[in-house]
Amino acid sequence: MRLNSTLIAHAEAALAALLKFSSPADAVLSRYFRAHSALGQNDRAFIAETCYAALRHLRSLRARIEEAGKAQKQEPERKQKPEPETRRLLLAALFCHRGWNLAQLEPLLRSGDSEWLRAARMLDTASWPAAQRCDFPDWLYEELVPTHGDDLETLAASLNRPAPLDLRVNPLKISREEALQQLEAAGIKAAASPCSPLGIRVAGKPALNRQPLFLEGAIEVQDEGSQLLGFLVAPKRGEMVADFCAGAGGKTLLLGALMRSQGRLYAFDVDQKRLERLKPRLARSGLSNVYPVLLGSERDDRVRRLAGKFDRVLVDAPCSGFGTLRRNPDLKWRQGAGDVAELAQKQTAILEAAARLLKPGGRLVYATCSLLAAENEAVTMAFLAAHPEFSVLPAEEILRGREISLPGSIPQNADGFLRLFPHVHGTDGFFAAVMEKR
């Protein structure tokens, strides 16, 4: 596409709104696009992808701009009228990370821009602090060092790349092979996901909301790692199952499909808006065994009345979301160590409440899309210490029983927990502990 001053002005305005970090990035962009409805699909894609590139690499881009500016001989008038940071961030993101060259950027360049952009891209970053090379805040880098060590820069690089588009087929309506054939016929390049037996990985970012497969509920957008959590729960037909933090219901729909729409599946959540987003998806899915329930809190009386009645419970707990930085790069700049500590307390309370639902012999799966031990192992081990009636089931053995094998993960998961990483598995970062009530 060809750039013009109007498009870059929109990108600057959108990035300026994002850099306030007052709301999730996807919500900020959604509001911006609603307010500027004349923007076409390609323009919106350019704005979103460029702003997200700036957010992913915000710390290193700022360092590049600063160091390149020091090396550049600036004209006196440029010193007096410094330009907005957003413009330089966008140009640097395009030139250093999105593969645009100076000829493509030429309509936007001002005097001296070519020189500082070349200098910014050619900087030797070897002497930078490791956290800056990783584009992490210092506190997050320090939290991840004990668990990732020498592998941390590789993990960071994978988290700083855009995520692929993963789909899940609804086995009640279509097989994966049939879905692949229909996507190919529609001109959409796709292939079977490497791990999930229901997963499809799509090339590029095609618009799916008008595709017949999507409208009919035959496919849903769902990261492959998220799909694997459903196979850890492994619900059976006729069972009583709970998705305790159901949200918009992606995992709920998978659990219902694995149950073949038989038994009772409760979708609990404390957020009415999230449960509202489940309704149209549920209608498309064809499931008849799902019961959305709005809770006042994890201690809601309805939870207490159902204690001891469930065969399986999934707790996909609210978390920092640092495993989803490929999709939500703003999270690392919007949150701090204090937020993680508060989340760990909430996760502990939710896990305690959800565990009461299980009958003896029942299965409890605690999961997050976080990379932090404070939200994962620490919460799980404290729960196990307080509840000796629960024991860990090896997650990878459960997956192998479904003929699902994971690349390069056995040493990481030797304690029985499941850990997924984008640089190893091609998924978002996930943690899961499968526990059985004796």
Side-chain angles (χ1 to χ4, degrees):
M1 67 180 298
R2 292 182 62 84
L3 294 180
N4 57 61
S5 57
T6 300
L7 183 57
I8 204 70
H10 277 297
E12 280 190 66
L15 182 57
L18 289 166
L19 290 176
K20 295 177 181 177
F21 298 116
S22 57
S23 300
D26 56 350
V28 172
L29 284 178
S30 179
R31 285 196 297 269
Y32 188 87
F33 292 147
R34 283 198 303 271
H36 300 86
S37 56
L39 287 167
Q41 182 178 334
N42 290 338
D43 290 344
R44 293 178 182 219
F46 167 81
I47 292 168
E49 290 165 12
T50 306
C51 287
Y52 270 56
L55 291 175
R56 287 188 182 99
H57 303 283
L58 184 60
R59 184 171 183 179
S60 63
L61 285 175
R62 281 174 165 162
R64 287 181 185 277
I65 292 168
E66 181 180 358
E67 292 189 30
K70 290 177 181 176
Q72 182 187 23
K73 184 179 179 180
Q74 298 198 9
E75 301 172 6
E77 60 268 23
R78 293 287 295 279
K79 287 185 178 180
Q80 294 169 6
K81 296 180 67 175
E83 58 189 345
E85 180 194 36
T86 49
R87 179 178 177 275
R88 287 208 161 193
L89 283 172
L90 291 170
L91 289 177
L94 288 167
F95 190 62
C96 298
H97 293 290
R98 295 208 59 212
W100 290 61
N101 58 43
L102 291 175
Q104 292 170 299
L105 296 175
E106 195 275 334
L108 307 175
L109 299 183
R110 300 171 184 168
S111 175
D113 281 346
S114 297
E115 288 76 12
W116 76 257
L117 280 169
R118 288 195 190 96
R121 190 161 69 178
M122 296 299 292
L123 281 172
D124 181 6
T125 64
S127 62
W128 282 2
Q132 185 166 294
R133 290 197 303 270
C134 291
D135 273 297
F136 286 160
D138 289 339
W139 77 268
L140 178 57
Y141 180 85
E142 295 300 328
E143 285 286 331
L144 291 171
V145 166
T147 50
H148 292 280
D150 296 337
D151 203 31
L152 185 47
E153 292 202 34
T154 305
L155 170 62
S158 68
L159 289 168
N160 287 329
R161 287 191 287 267
L165 177 59
D166 286 351
L167 309 177
R168 176 187 56 77
V169 301
N170 180 352
L172 300 183
K173 295 199 170 189
I174 199 169
S175 69
R176 179 161 65 176
E177 292 70 25
E178 291 171 324
L180 285 168
Q181 291 171 5
Q182 292 190 33
L183 289 171
E184 182 181 1
I188 297 174
K189 294 182 179 180
S193 296
C195 300
S196 170
L198 297 177
I200 290 176
R201 185 153 291 170
V202 176
K205 303 290 183 183
L208 293 170
N209 57 354
R210 296 180 183 177
Q211 287 294 324
L213 285 174
F214 178 80
L215 295 173
E216 296 163 3
I219 58 172
E220 281 282 346
V221 176
Q222 187 176 20
D223 180 77
E224 186 178 28
S226 176
Q227 296 177 39
L228 295 181
L229 299 184
F231 290 101
L232 289 180
V233 179
K236 298 176 181 177
R237 302 184 191 195
E239 287 187 330
M240 190 108 150
V241 180
D243 185 353
F244 200 73
C245 304
K251 298 177 188 70
T252 305
L253 299 179
L254 171 56
L255 296 176
L258 294 177
M259 297 169 72
R260 309 301 296 182
S261 199
Q262 298 177 31
R264 293 179 72 85
L265 172 56
Y266 286 85
F268 293 119
D269 206 275
V270 296
D271 191 311
Q272 179 70 51
K273 290 182 179 178
R274 286 199 293 260
L275 284 179
E276 287 293 330
R277 294 200 294 272
L278 168 60
K279 290 182 179 179
R281 303 175 75 185
L282 186 56
R284 291 195 303 268
S285 73
L287 293 172
S288 59
N289 68 329
V290 178
Y291 300 87
V293 179
L294 179 67
L295 300 178
S297 72
E298 70 274 6
R299 298 180 299 277
D300 195 291
D301 285 342
R302 280 166 289 191
V303 175
R304 295 179 181 178
R305 288 197 294 267
L306 291 168
K309 296 185 177 181
F310 283 78
D311 298 283
R312 308 193 185 230
V313 176
L314 170 63
V315 180
D316 182 17
C319 68
S320 64
F322 289 136
T324 69
L325 289 178
R326 301 184 302 172
R327 307 171 196 279
N328 306 294
D330 57 308
L331 289 175
K332 58 187 173 183
W333 312 121
R334 288 200 297 113
Q335 298 183 107
D339 299 298
V340 172
E342 288 182 15
L343 283 165
Q345 292 180 352
K346 181 183 293 186
Q347 291 152 0
T348 298
I350 291 172
L351 182 56
E352 287 277 349
R356 297 188 189 104
L357 293 172
L358 280 168
K359 62 176 65 170
R363 177 176 296 185
L364 174 64
V365 177
Y366 173 73
T368 77
C369 52
S370 173
L371 303 170
L372 301 182
E375 300 181 85
N376 297 336
E377 291 87 350
V379 172
T380 305
M381 296 307 294
F383 173 81
L384 289 169
H387 296 275
E389 71 275 21
F390 281 88
S391 58
V392 174
L393 300 179
E396 288 200 77
E397 286 187 16
I398 295 170
L399 294 179
R400 280 196 293 270
R402 303 297 297 262
E403 300 183 350
I404 298 171
S405 59
L406 303 177
S409 58
I410 292 176
Q412 279 277 1
N413 303 328
D415 52 12
F417 302 145
L418 179 72
R419 299 173 183 86
L420 300 175
F421 305 108
H423 65 301
V424 178
H425 309 100
T427 68
D428 284 344
F430 279 100
F431 170 89
V434 185
M435 296 168 277
E436 184 176 70
K437 185 176 182 181
R438 290 191 290 269

